[in-house]
Amino acid sequence: MSHQTYPPPADRMGALSPDIRITPTLRHATLPFQRRPAQTRSGCDKGFTMVELLVVLVILGVLISISIFAYGNYVNKARLTVAVSTLETLRLTLENFHIDYGGYPADIDFSTGEDDLGRTVFDNQFALQLSDDLFAVDSYNSAGLGYTLFARANNRQRTLLKMVPEITIIQD
């Protein structure tokens, strides 16, 4: 069978535009700017297949798991940074105490901010900040001219921090 296009007989179709063609393989007339009807998948007119939906769900699951892992690492590093910053503030407070009293406090109650003689090393607001930003203050030792403080950060690993007028991260 030939696939030629030919104009329809004028007596059956009336006066048609020369752009309209009828082909023997099509069941209806098409204009040049019209698209032919699409072939449908097994009788369905529109929609996604189950495989396509499953692929999208798997991709979304992978992206969500990656973003949750990245967010957890971000929060963990931020908590370590906050702990180091809080210890830096404590270091400056101890330096001010040293200037005011001529030495470092022999012992500090970190829940109240007072030393063993009842002098204020830092205020109650900073004591609350210490309890929020640090997991624990393990030890504080002073020899008058120097001090050593060990604290644990409030991150996932409970990173050990050492402060001896400078702050050192011992274990990460």
Side-chain angles (χ1 to χ4, degrees), residues 48-61:
F48 297 104
T49 64
M50 188 63 102
V51 172
E52 291 170 335
L53 291 175
L54 287 175
V55 167
V56 169
L57 288 176
V58 166
I59 290 171
L60 285 175

